[in-house]
Amino acid sequence: MVSLDQVVEDAKRDFDGAADSAALEDAKARYLGKSGILTERLKSLGALDPEARKAAGAEINQVKSAVEAALNARRQALADAVLQTRLSAEAIDVTMPGRGQDSGSLHPVMRTWERVEQIFRSVGFDVADGPEIENDWFNFTALNSPENHPARSMQDTFYVEGVDEQNKPLLLRTHTSPMQVRYASAHVAKYAKDAKDGVMPPIKVIAPGRTYRVDSDATHSPMFNQVEGLWIAENVSFADLKGVYTDFLKTFFETDAIDVRFRPSYFPFTEPSAEIDMAFGSGKLAGRWLEISGAGQVHPTVLRNMGLDPERYIGFAFGSGLERLTMLRYGIDDLRLFFENDIRFLSQFPA
Ligand code: DAH
């Protein structure tokens, strides 16, 4: 039988050799477990006579304490080592420069939006806002859009559940043009009664906002932004529209080197109708005609639907895409970049 001193030696060696707490607990079992060496020795005391048992028992218990002390020391050492590893892994180098917090900036389309508002306000236009969930009247019927117009089809339009008071479908507005009728009708309701000599103050408004169509590719997104413009008075002419819009483009693009042309087109709510094209005088896109807006003289039926007498009032309207203007201003060629929220793209437009 090995001496008790040897047992202490062996236990210390085994404990120190245990690389982790699982190995240590195994080693512990060999000495202090149910059938461990020291436990067995204590059990064997029963065979001794009382005097010898007392002396031998005291000796074994002393050894047991020594083994337990060695065990606890090793446990502590292993725990310290684990903690040390963690602390150095999670160490913070207080001498490193801070990460800082970048400040965000306006989305490029919102910049265009704000710029457009600012420019039109500076020439006397009001800015109006209206619902994105529209009804059939404002989005189509009041704008003289015939029942069989393709824009009304399920393929082109997002219809939403529910109907309006006329039992007509509700939809996400496909353009900002409904704001023409909303704004003008409210204007008529407000001024018609008190109008001096029956003449109302002119309507001069833009309405920027979100619009929706079932459409998705590099130049179309199911959600996009338009700005509607409307100018109604007794004596405006196409020349006024042309002047205001051309000035707007020059201010917006910060250059006088822009050519503008009005190309005959068709919209149900204007007659005559035009497509406004522009061409830059210099730069990457120089000399190429780019379609920038729809426009036209407000159709007599639409004027009537606004509560206005088409014999007396004449109006001009336009509807331009805010994404389009933004793409041209910054030379962006894929509309989808606007809606992907990719920081690498957005951070190119710092505040
Ligand atoms: N609402 C038309 C569209 O979304 C654009 C437009 C064309 C607006 C002519 C107008 C206009 O006000 O006069 O395609």
Side-chain angles (χ1 to χ4, degrees), residues 143 174-178 180 211 213 224 226-230 241 265-275 293-298 316-321:
L143 292 169
T174 58
H175 50 181
T176 44
S177 301
Q180 289 189 29
T211 52
R213 281 180 213 174
F224 58 104
Q226 285 191 332
V227 57
E228 195 74 14
L230 180 67
L241 169 70
S265 184
Y266 171 77
F267 297 100
F269 36 90
T270 43
E271 181 58 39
S273 303
E275 211 77 64
S293 184
Q297 181 181 323
V298 181
F316 293 93
F318 61 84
S320 320

Short mmCIF file of all heavy atoms in Angstrom, two decimals, residues 143 174-178 180 211 213 224 226-230 241 265-275 293-298 316-321, ligand 1:
data_model
loop_
_atom_site.label_atom_id
_atom_site.label_comp_id
_atom_site.label_asym_id
_atom_site.label_seq_id
_atom_site.Cartn_x
_atom_site.Cartn_y
_atom_site.Cartn_z
N LEU A 143 -60.48 63.42 -63.69
CA LEU A 143 -59.39 63.78 -64.61
C LEU A 143 -59.70 63.34 -66.04
O LEU A 143 -58.80 63.22 -66.86
CB LEU A 143 -58.07 63.18 -64.13
CG LEU A 143 -57.53 63.78 -62.82
CD1 LEU A 143 -56.38 62.95 -62.27
CD2 LEU A 143 -57.07 65.23 -63.04
N THR A 174 -52.07 56.63 -58.71
CA THR A 174 -51.11 56.26 -59.75
C THR A 174 -50.31 57.47 -60.22
O THR A 174 -49.38 57.34 -61.01
CB THR A 174 -51.83 55.63 -60.96
OG1 THR A 174 -52.79 56.58 -61.44
CG2 THR A 174 -52.55 54.36 -60.55
N HIS A 175 -50.73 58.65 -59.78
CA HIS A 175 -50.02 59.90 -60.11
C HIS A 175 -50.44 60.97 -59.11
O HIS A 175 -51.35 60.73 -58.30
CB HIS A 175 -50.31 60.34 -61.56
CG HIS A 175 -51.77 60.38 -61.94
ND1 HIS A 175 -52.21 60.74 -63.18
CD2 HIS A 175 -52.90 60.12 -61.22
CE1 HIS A 175 -53.53 60.70 -63.24
NE2 HIS A 175 -53.96 60.32 -62.06
N THR A 176 -49.78 62.12 -59.14
CA THR A 176 -50.16 63.19 -58.22
C THR A 176 -51.26 64.08 -58.82
O THR A 176 -51.74 64.99 -58.16
CB THR A 176 -48.94 64.06 -57.85
OG1 THR A 176 -48.18 64.33 -59.03
CG2 THR A 176 -48.06 63.37 -56.82
N SER A 177 -51.67 63.77 -60.05
CA SER A 177 -52.70 64.61 -60.70
C SER A 177 -54.01 64.75 -59.90
O SER A 177 -54.66 65.80 -60.00
CB SER A 177 -52.97 64.10 -62.11
OG SER A 177 -51.78 64.12 -62.87
N PRO A 178 -54.42 63.73 -59.12
CA PRO A 178 -55.64 63.94 -58.32
C PRO A 178 -55.55 65.20 -57.45
O PRO A 178 -56.58 65.83 -57.14
CB PRO A 178 -55.74 62.69 -57.43
CG PRO A 178 -54.68 61.74 -57.87
CD PRO A 178 -53.94 62.35 -59.00
N GLN A 180 -54.61 68.03 -58.33
CA GLN A 180 -55.15 69.17 -59.10
C GLN A 180 -56.59 69.43 -58.71
O GLN A 180 -56.99 70.55 -58.40
CB GLN A 180 -55.12 68.87 -60.60
CG GLN A 180 -53.76 68.83 -61.25
CD GLN A 180 -53.88 68.74 -62.76
OE1 GLN A 180 -54.85 69.21 -63.36
NE2 GLN A 180 -52.90 68.11 -63.40
N THR A 211 -46.32 58.08 -55.35
CA THR A 211 -47.30 57.52 -56.27
C THR A 211 -46.94 56.05 -56.50
O THR A 211 -45.82 55.64 -56.21
CB THR A 211 -47.25 58.28 -57.61
OG1 THR A 211 -45.90 58.29 -58.07
CG2 THR A 211 -47.73 59.71 -57.47
N ARG A 213 -47.43 52.35 -58.94
CA ARG A 213 -47.87 51.62 -60.13
C ARG A 213 -47.26 50.23 -60.14
O ARG A 213 -46.16 50.03 -59.60
CB ARG A 213 -47.43 52.32 -61.40
CG ARG A 213 -48.32 53.49 -61.76
CD ARG A 213 -47.85 54.17 -63.02
NE ARG A 213 -48.15 55.59 -62.91
CZ ARG A 213 -47.77 56.49 -63.78
NH1 ARG A 213 -47.04 56.15 -64.82
NH2 ARG A 213 -48.09 57.76 -63.62
N PHE A 224 -42.92 55.54 -56.47
CA PHE A 224 -42.02 56.59 -56.92
C PHE A 224 -42.64 57.93 -56.57
O PHE A 224 -43.75 57.98 -56.04
CB PHE A 224 -41.75 56.45 -58.43
CG PHE A 224 -42.99 56.50 -59.29
CD1 PHE A 224 -43.31 57.64 -60.01
CD2 PHE A 224 -43.85 55.41 -59.35
CE1 PHE A 224 -44.46 57.69 -60.81
CE2 PHE A 224 -45.01 55.46 -60.13
CZ PHE A 224 -45.31 56.59 -60.86
N GLN A 226 -43.68 61.95 -57.53
CA GLN A 226 -43.94 62.92 -58.60
C GLN A 226 -44.13 64.29 -57.97
O GLN A 226 -44.35 64.41 -56.77
CB GLN A 226 -45.25 62.57 -59.32
CG GLN A 226 -45.15 61.39 -60.26
CD GLN A 226 -46.40 61.28 -61.14
OE1 GLN A 226 -47.49 61.69 -60.73
NE2 GLN A 226 -46.23 60.71 -62.32
N VAL A 227 -44.05 65.30 -58.82
CA VAL A 227 -44.52 66.60 -58.37
C VAL A 227 -45.48 67.11 -59.43
O VAL A 227 -45.20 67.12 -60.62
CB VAL A 227 -43.35 67.61 -58.12
CG1 VAL A 227 -42.48 67.79 -59.34
CG2 VAL A 227 -43.93 68.95 -57.65
N GLU A 228 -46.67 67.46 -58.94
CA GLU A 228 -47.71 67.99 -59.81
C GLU A 228 -47.64 69.51 -59.74
O GLU A 228 -47.33 70.08 -58.69
CB GLU A 228 -49.08 67.53 -59.27
CG GLU A 228 -50.21 67.68 -60.24
CD GLU A 228 -50.14 66.63 -61.34
OE1 GLU A 228 -49.38 65.65 -61.20
OE2 GLU A 228 -50.86 66.80 -62.35
N GLY A 229 -47.88 70.16 -60.86
CA GLY A 229 -47.94 71.62 -60.83
C GLY A 229 -49.25 72.06 -61.47
O GLY A 229 -49.71 71.42 -62.43
N LEU A 230 -49.84 73.10 -60.93
CA LEU A 230 -51.11 73.59 -61.50
C LEU A 230 -51.16 75.11 -61.37
O LEU A 230 -50.87 75.67 -60.32
CB LEU A 230 -52.29 72.97 -60.73
CG LEU A 230 -53.69 73.37 -61.20
CD1 LEU A 230 -53.99 72.82 -62.59
CD2 LEU A 230 -54.75 72.88 -60.21
N LEU A 241 -46.46 78.68 -68.82
CA LEU A 241 -46.02 77.35 -68.40
C LEU A 241 -44.58 77.12 -68.86
O LEU A 241 -43.72 76.67 -68.10
CB LEU A 241 -46.94 76.29 -68.99
CG LEU A 241 -46.45 74.85 -68.85
CD1 LEU A 241 -46.49 74.40 -67.40
CD2 LEU A 241 -47.28 73.90 -69.71
N SER A 265 -48.29 65.50 -77.21
CA SER A 265 -48.51 64.20 -76.59
C SER A 265 -49.99 64.07 -76.26
O SER A 265 -50.80 64.92 -76.66
CB SER A 265 -47.64 64.10 -75.34
OG SER A 265 -47.76 62.82 -74.77
N TYR A 266 -50.34 63.05 -75.52
CA TYR A 266 -51.74 62.90 -75.13
C TYR A 266 -51.87 62.55 -73.66
O TYR A 266 -51.20 61.64 -73.15
CB TYR A 266 -52.43 61.80 -75.95
CG TYR A 266 -53.80 61.49 -75.41
CD1 TYR A 266 -54.87 62.34 -75.67
CD2 TYR A 266 -54.00 60.38 -74.58
CE1 TYR A 266 -56.13 62.10 -75.12
CE2 TYR A 266 -55.25 60.13 -74.03
CZ TYR A 266 -56.31 60.99 -74.30
OH TYR A 266 -57.54 60.76 -73.75
N PHE A 267 -52.68 63.29 -72.95
CA PHE A 267 -53.15 62.91 -71.62
C PHE A 267 -54.64 63.23 -71.58
O PHE A 267 -55.07 64.23 -72.16
CB PHE A 267 -52.43 63.70 -70.52
CG PHE A 267 -50.95 63.43 -70.47
CD1 PHE A 267 -50.05 64.31 -71.04
CD2 PHE A 267 -50.46 62.29 -69.86
CE1 PHE A 267 -48.68 64.06 -71.01
CE2 PHE A 267 -49.10 62.03 -69.82
CZ PHE A 267 -48.21 62.91 -70.41
N PRO A 268 -55.45 62.39 -70.92
CA PRO A 268 -56.90 62.64 -70.94
C PRO A 268 -57.28 63.96 -70.27
O PRO A 268 -58.29 64.56 -70.62
CB PRO A 268 -57.47 61.47 -70.13
CG PRO A 268 -56.37 60.46 -69.99
CD PRO A 268 -55.08 61.19 -70.18
N PHE A 269 -56.45 64.41 -69.31
CA PHE A 269 -56.84 65.58 -68.50
C PHE A 269 -56.27 66.89 -69.03
O PHE A 269 -56.44 67.93 -68.39
CB PHE A 269 -56.45 65.37 -67.04
CG PHE A 269 -55.15 64.62 -66.86
CD1 PHE A 269 -53.95 65.30 -66.79
CD2 PHE A 269 -55.15 63.23 -66.80
CE1 PHE A 269 -52.75 64.60 -66.64
CE2 PHE A 269 -53.96 62.53 -66.66
CZ PHE A 269 -52.75 63.20 -66.58
N THR A 270 -55.58 66.84 -70.16
CA THR A 270 -55.09 68.10 -70.75
C THR A 270 -55.38 68.11 -72.25
O THR A 270 -55.43 67.08 -72.90
CB THR A 270 -53.56 68.25 -70.54
OG1 THR A 270 -52.93 67.00 -70.81
CG2 THR A 270 -53.24 68.71 -69.15
N GLU A 271 -55.56 69.32 -72.75
CA GLU A 271 -55.79 69.48 -74.19
C GLU A 271 -55.45 70.91 -74.59
O GLU A 271 -56.13 71.82 -74.13
CB GLU A 271 -57.25 69.15 -74.55
CG GLU A 271 -57.58 69.26 -76.02
CD GLU A 271 -56.71 68.36 -76.89
OE1 GLU A 271 -56.42 67.22 -76.48
OE2 GLU A 271 -56.29 68.83 -77.96
N PRO A 272 -54.41 71.19 -75.33
CA PRO A 272 -53.45 70.21 -75.84
C PRO A 272 -52.53 69.67 -74.73
O PRO A 272 -52.40 70.28 -73.68
CB PRO A 272 -52.65 71.03 -76.85
CG PRO A 272 -52.72 72.43 -76.36
CD PRO A 272 -54.07 72.58 -75.72
N SER A 273 -51.89 68.55 -75.03
CA SER A 273 -50.95 67.94 -74.09
C SER A 273 -49.55 67.94 -74.68
O SER A 273 -49.40 67.94 -75.91
CB SER A 273 -51.34 66.49 -73.80
OG SER A 273 -52.66 66.40 -73.32
N ALA A 274 -48.59 67.95 -73.78
CA ALA A 274 -47.20 67.95 -74.26
C ALA A 274 -46.34 67.10 -73.35
O ALA A 274 -46.64 66.89 -72.18
CB ALA A 274 -46.66 69.37 -74.28
N GLU A 275 -45.26 66.63 -73.94
CA GLU A 275 -44.21 65.98 -73.17
C GLU A 275 -43.10 67.01 -73.13
O GLU A 275 -42.76 67.58 -74.16
CB GLU A 275 -43.75 64.74 -73.96
CG GLU A 275 -43.29 63.59 -73.13
CD GLU A 275 -44.45 62.81 -72.51
OE1 GLU A 275 -45.25 62.21 -73.24
OE2 GLU A 275 -44.52 62.81 -71.27
N SER A 293 -41.10 65.46 -68.17
CA SER A 293 -42.40 65.77 -67.55
C SER A 293 -43.53 65.68 -68.57
O SER A 293 -43.30 65.84 -69.77
CB SER A 293 -42.34 67.20 -67.01
OG SER A 293 -43.53 67.53 -66.34
N GLY A 294 -44.71 65.41 -68.06
CA GLY A 294 -45.92 65.59 -68.87
C GLY A 294 -46.46 66.97 -68.55
O GLY A 294 -46.19 67.52 -67.49
N ALA A 295 -47.22 67.54 -69.47
CA ALA A 295 -47.77 68.87 -69.22
C ALA A 295 -48.94 69.12 -70.16
O ALA A 295 -49.20 68.32 -71.06
CB ALA A 295 -46.70 69.94 -69.43
N GLY A 296 -49.62 70.22 -69.95
CA GLY A 296 -50.69 70.55 -70.88
C GLY A 296 -51.62 71.63 -70.34
O GLY A 296 -51.48 72.09 -69.21
N GLN A 297 -52.56 71.99 -71.19
CA GLN A 297 -53.59 72.94 -70.80
C GLN A 297 -54.74 72.14 -70.22
O GLN A 297 -55.21 71.18 -70.83
CB GLN A 297 -54.05 73.73 -72.02
CG GLN A 297 -55.11 74.76 -71.70
CD GLN A 297 -55.55 75.52 -72.94
OE1 GLN A 297 -54.76 75.82 -73.83
NE2 GLN A 297 -56.86 75.78 -73.01
N VAL A 298 -55.17 72.53 -69.00
CA VAL A 298 -56.17 71.74 -68.29
C VAL A 298 -57.44 71.59 -69.14
O VAL A 298 -58.00 72.57 -69.64
CB VAL A 298 -56.50 72.37 -66.92
CG1 VAL A 298 -57.53 71.52 -66.17
CG2 VAL A 298 -55.24 72.52 -66.09
N PHE A 316 -52.85 75.56 -66.64
CA PHE A 316 -51.77 74.71 -67.14
C PHE A 316 -51.30 73.79 -66.02
O PHE A 316 -51.34 74.17 -64.86
CB PHE A 316 -50.61 75.56 -67.66
CG PHE A 316 -51.02 76.31 -68.88
CD1 PHE A 316 -51.52 77.61 -68.79
CD2 PHE A 316 -50.99 75.69 -70.12
CE1 PHE A 316 -51.96 78.27 -69.91
CE2 PHE A 316 -51.42 76.36 -71.24
CZ PHE A 316 -51.91 77.65 -71.15
N ALA A 317 -50.93 72.60 -66.41
CA ALA A 317 -50.51 71.62 -65.42
C ALA A 317 -49.28 70.90 -65.91
O ALA A 317 -49.02 70.84 -67.11
CB ALA A 317 -51.63 70.62 -65.16
N PHE A 318 -48.54 70.36 -64.96
CA PHE A 318 -47.44 69.47 -65.33
C PHE A 318 -47.28 68.43 -64.24
O PHE A 318 -47.74 68.61 -63.11
CB PHE A 318 -46.13 70.24 -65.54
CG PHE A 318 -45.63 70.97 -64.31
CD1 PHE A 318 -44.87 70.31 -63.35
CD2 PHE A 318 -45.93 72.32 -64.12
CE1 PHE A 318 -44.42 70.98 -62.23
CE2 PHE A 318 -45.47 73.00 -62.99
CZ PHE A 318 -44.72 72.33 -62.04
N GLY A 319 -46.67 67.33 -64.62
CA GLY A 319 -46.38 66.27 -63.64
C GLY A 319 -45.03 65.68 -63.97
O GLY A 319 -44.82 65.14 -65.05
N SER A 320 -44.09 65.83 -63.02
CA SER A 320 -42.72 65.40 -63.28
C SER A 320 -42.29 64.36 -62.24
O SER A 320 -42.76 64.38 -61.11
CB SER A 320 -41.75 66.58 -63.19
OG SER A 320 -42.32 67.74 -63.76
N GLY A 321 -41.38 63.49 -62.63
CA GLY A 321 -40.89 62.46 -61.71
C GLY A 321 -39.70 62.97 -60.90
O GLY A 321 -38.73 63.44 -61.47
N1 DAH B 1 -50.16 62.35 -64.48
C1 DAH B 1 -49.29 62.10 -65.62
C2 DAH B 1 -48.54 60.81 -65.39
O1 DAH B 1 -48.40 60.39 -64.28
C3 DAH B 1 -48.30 63.20 -65.79
C4 DAH B 1 -48.93 64.50 -66.22
C5 DAH B 1 -49.12 64.77 -67.54
C6 DAH B 1 -49.35 65.42 -65.27
C7 DAH B 1 -49.68 65.95 -67.95
C8 DAH B 1 -49.92 66.62 -65.69
C9 DAH B 1 -50.07 66.86 -67.03
O2 DAH B 1 -50.33 67.53 -64.82
O3 DAH B 1 -50.62 68.04 -67.42
O4 DAH B 1 -48.07 60.22 -66.33
#
